[in-house]
Amino acid sequence: MPSPRLRFRARPVGFTLIELIVVIGIIALLIGILLPVLSSAKQAAIKVHCSSQIRQINLALETYANDFRGRYPVAGYNIDWGQIDTGFPNSTQMPSWMEQLFTYLPSQEVLSGCHSYPRDTPYHYFLSTRAVWIATGNFGSIRQQQIRNTSAFVLVGDNHWDFYEDVAPDADKDDYTQQTLSLTAGPNHWEPQHVKGLNVGFADGHVASFLEIDPTRMTWRYDSMSLW
């Protein structure tokens, strides 16, 4: 007798509802894992880009100082690009330090390159001027020759002091009488924009990232290790 034929039921094409739910759950889990990683990677890339911008500013400051007998650009009152600091008895009669430095940089974009800056303004960095204020009590240029510890002397960096730029942008950010770098949020400071940290450029040309003020690696004075 002929052997009986084996009968096979054809498997339905596609996913069952349970399989579909499992796949969706796996995809949602992967998205939940990857999104923070991608966000952190993006912030890290912005931080590196900003550090590169500060390094270019540092190089431009050194070139500028070489052309002006060891003096860095002078900063004054809050002024926008294209303006001159006038109207006060001790005003500098100069454009902003950024504009003074402009011809030493490849583009103005270098001066406004922090993509995570918390305000809608084209000027994101400050020039350190505290030492000359301590020495003279007035506006002036920081002098290379007077800096004793170039690897610790804060020269330029990310600004997170609130300059009220919703009223008027300031291309002349400095720290004569206001502490632009504190690395903590407060009444006059935004939350530091680079994953709670900021980039700082020093007088010897190196740039470093900080999560907090380090008194062993930072100074704002010509001849001593001292905080702002």
Side-chain angles (χ1 to χ4, degrees):
M1 293 181 63
S3 60
R5 294 180 178 178
L6 298 177
R7 295 182 180 179
F8 296 94
R9 179 177 294 180
R11 191 175 187 277
V13 178
F15 293 104
T16 65
L17 179 60
I18 293 177
E19 289 172 332
L20 189 60
I21 291 173
V22 170
V23 170
I24 292 173
I26 293 172
I27 292 172
L29 178 62
L30 290 174
I31 291 174
I33 293 172
L34 289 176
L35 279 180
V37 174
L38 292 174
S39 178
S40 296
K42 180 181 178 181
Q43 290 301 317
I46 292 174
K47 185 176 181 179
V48 170
H49 174 74
C50 180
S51 176
S52 175
Q53 305 288 67
I54 292 178
R55 188 169 286 106
Q56 290 185 64
I57 294 173
N58 243 348
L59 290 172
L61 285 168
E62 294 307 307
T63 307
Y64 181 100
N66 290 338
D67 286 348
F68 287 88
R69 298 182 179 181
R71 294 178 180 270
Y72 294 115
V74 61
Y77 290 101
N78 293 15
I79 56 173
D80 202 352
W81 191 276
Q83 295 180 350
I84 301 295
D85 182 19
T86 61
F88 296 91
N90 58 343
S91 57
T92 66
Q93 305 296 316
M94 295 283 289
S96 68
W97 71 264
M98 287 187 168
E99 197 163 349
Q100 294 170 56
L101 198 65
F102 177 61
T103 56
Y104 293 84
L105 290 163
S107 71
Q108 185 177 346
E109 191 272 336
V110 173
L111 297 170
S112 57
C114 185
H115 297 164
S116 60
Y117 196 71
R119 284 289 182 90
D120 184 16
T121 174
Y123 316 116
H124 301 169
Y125 304 121
F126 77 90
L127 178 67
S128 179
T129 53
R130 180 65 173 166
V132 71
W133 184 271
I134 293 296
T136 68
N138 207 341
F139 298 155
S141 298
I142 294 292
R143 301 184 64 180
Q144 283 181 321
Q145 298 89 335
Q146 292 184 250
I147 300 173
R148 295 291 175 264
N149 190 345
T150 57
S151 64
F153 188 88
V154 174
L155 186 60
V156 65
D158 282 324
N159 168 70
H160 75 135
W161 170 270
D162 188 350
F163 277 81
Y164 307 104
E165 291 182 272
D166 51 340
V167 177
D170 180 27
D172 213 27
K173 294 179 175 67
D174 57 72
D175 61 354
Y176 287 117
T177 60
Q178 51 205 5
Q179 188 176 359
T180 50
L181 187 70
S182 74
L183 287 162
T184 56
N188 297 318
H189 295 87
W190 301 302
E191 184 77 19
Q193 55 259 32
H194 293 307
V195 196
K196 297 185 178 181
L198 295 171
N199 292 315
V200 181
F202 295 87
D204 69 345
H206 85 276
V207 177
S209 179
F210 292 88
L211 297 178
E212 59 184 6
I213 296 293
D214 187 344
T216 67
R217 297 172 62 192
M218 294 177 173
T219 184
W220 279 257
R221 308 296 172 89
Y222 276 133
D223 54 6
S224 63
M225 291 296 295
S226 177
L227 297 182
W228 189 88

